[in-house]
Amino acid sequence: PKGCFGKDPIDRFPVTRPKAKDKGVWLIMALTGAMSAGIAGLKAHMDALTVVGNNVANVNTPGYKAGRVTFKESIYSTQAAGSNGTDTIGGTNPRQTGYGCSVGTIDLDMSSMNVESTGNAADVAIQGDGFLLVGSKEGVGLDSLDKLLLTRVGDLRVDNNGYLTDGYGNIVYGFVTCNGDENGKNTTPGLTGDAISTQLVPIRLPRAATKDGEPAGASVGDAIYPGVNADGTNNYDKYDDYDCISYNSLSIDASGKITCVNGKTKDPVTIGYIALGTVPNPSGLTHTEGPYYQALEGAGDLSICAPGGSLGGQYLNNKTQGDLSTMLGSGGASLLPGFREGSGTDLATEFANMITYQRGYQANTRIVTVTDSMLEELVNMKR
């Protein structure tokens, strides 16, 4: 009614009759929004070019997983909400203004890549899904598997203390040969699969007997294996600061089985099996540094297996039954001895992306410069 908002009903809607200075404010706000959108586009395309640059820089890095960028729209400002139609008029759509774009995701392509021959029998490339597990000498429990680092780079070697390590000195984890004999002397003919403990441990060469008859029946230089405790864990009580066997002809086969020849006795020795780790979402792994990843939030729970399912159906810590999460997988990836996985960078794709991002960056600079020219004209209106 007249008088509620002013002397004239039209005064109820002063926004429909803006003053000249209000028009200037609105124009400045609109131009500032355009400038912000352009700047957001510049930043997003610069981040995308950074990913491309990192991919190209690692074109010869073994095991490198290329990143892939996707963009997303930035937050919208709603000028008017939509409305439903009535009996007399139709509905209207909402009016919204965007503020540019930003980087939505940076995903890693974790699929298997081309392999390259190294001529080293201890090098392995993983064929299929899975990662080598590496960590420290202390070992990990079943409730702390996420502390292990995951890698696809299999340049392996034995260090001066008998540990199987990667090129950066991290210890490779797996399953080693054990024996139930209280003295640790392995009496299993041919070192069959029954002699492999399923406790996940840092892989190390067996202990060397230093005296004849210690333990009983051993000769100097014989390989002495740990026993197994009642809880299924390996018994290393007699292994503190022990000397490892000398060895020749170390090799790893497709099932992850590590063998060598005892340099003293010339007997064949099965050291153990390499373990592989898998997660439900490999692209969700957290990249830490170098070729390493961790199974943190987003990746899912870490599952353990031996390559090719060579120990499939057994449970960790030598259990006869247990939680399904501790069962070793019966399938999965295998190893390719004497090879190493190459870089995941596809130069043709990266150069094409580089051109696309460059043009996107260039177009956003035009938004900034044109908006600057319009602001300059607005400022000069009163001169």
Side-chain angles (χ1 to χ4, degrees), residues 100-359:
C101 70
S102 62
V103 173
T105 62
I106 302 178
D107 301 315
L108 296 177
D109 182 3
M110 304 300 291
S111 58
S112 298
M113 300 300 170
N114 294 331
V115 296
E116 52 192 26
S117 176
T118 64
N120 184 357
D123 287 344
V124 292
I126 301 173
Q127 297 291 283
D129 296 333
F131 299 83
L132 298 175
L133 302 168
V134 299
S136 65
K137 298 178 181 179
E138 284 74 17
V140 295
L142 296 183
D143 57 347
S144 56
L145 294 178
D146 57 357
K147 293 183 179 180
L148 294 174
L149 297 176
L150 285 69
T151 180
R152 298 274 299 187
V153 181
D155 54 339
L156 309 182
R157 65 209 64 186
V158 176
D159 71 0
N160 60 312
N161 292 313
Y163 286 98
L164 184 68
T165 71
D166 67 2
Y168 296 90
N170 289 299
I171 313 300
V172 179
Y173 275 62
F175 313 104
V176 297
T177 300
C178 282
N179 186 267
D181 186 279
E182 61 180 4
N183 294 315
K185 176 66 176 175
N186 193 296
T187 57
T188 306
L191 300 177
T192 65
D194 294 335
I196 301 299
S197 168
T198 59
Q199 183 188 6
L200 186 66
V201 295
I203 297 176
R204 193 179 186 188
L205 294 174
R207 177 167 70 95
T210 56
K211 294 181 180 180
D212 289 338
E214 294 185 7
S219 301
V220 173
D222 276 351
I224 308 302
Y225 303 89
V228 178
N229 297 317
D231 62 356
T233 58
N234 298 349
N235 183 356
Y236 292 102
D237 288 347
K238 301 179 180 180
Y239 276 62
D240 293 337
D241 300 322
Y242 70 86
D243 293 326
C244 298
I245 62 169
S246 60
Y247 71 95
N248 297 311
S249 306
L250 182 79
S251 64
I252 303 172
D253 67 12
S255 67
K257 185 177 181 180
I258 312 165
T259 58
C260 68
V261 174
N262 189 323
K264 179 72 173 178
T265 65
K266 309 305 179 184
D267 294 327
V269 174
T270 296
I271 301 169
Y273 284 77
I274 289 176
L276 295 180
T278 60
V279 291
N281 178 23
S283 296
L285 291 171
T286 300
H287 199 170
T288 55
E289 60 178 349
Y292 300 118
Y293 304 86
Q294 274 190 289
L296 304 180
E297 291 188 12
D301 294 333
L302 182 64
S303 299
I304 309 299
C305 66
S310 50
L311 299 177
Q314 302 184 54
Y315 290 90
L316 291 172
N317 281 4
N318 303 294
K319 303 294 185 182
T320 56
Q321 62 181 357
D323 192 286
L324 289 179
S325 64
T326 64
M327 178 182 283
L328 299 177
S330 58
S334 61
L335 300 183
L336 188 60
F339 287 82
R340 184 175 58 190
E341 186 173 76
S343 172
T345 297
D346 183 341
L347 282 180
T349 299
E350 299 305 326
F351 286 153
N353 288 339
M354 186 189 305
I355 295 172
T356 302
Y357 299 149
Q358 180 187 14
R359 294 307 181 197

Side-chain angles (χ1 to χ4, degrees), residues 57-69:
N58 286 281
V59 66
N60 290 314
T61 302
Y64 175 75
K65 301 303 179 184
R68 183 190 64 178
V69 176

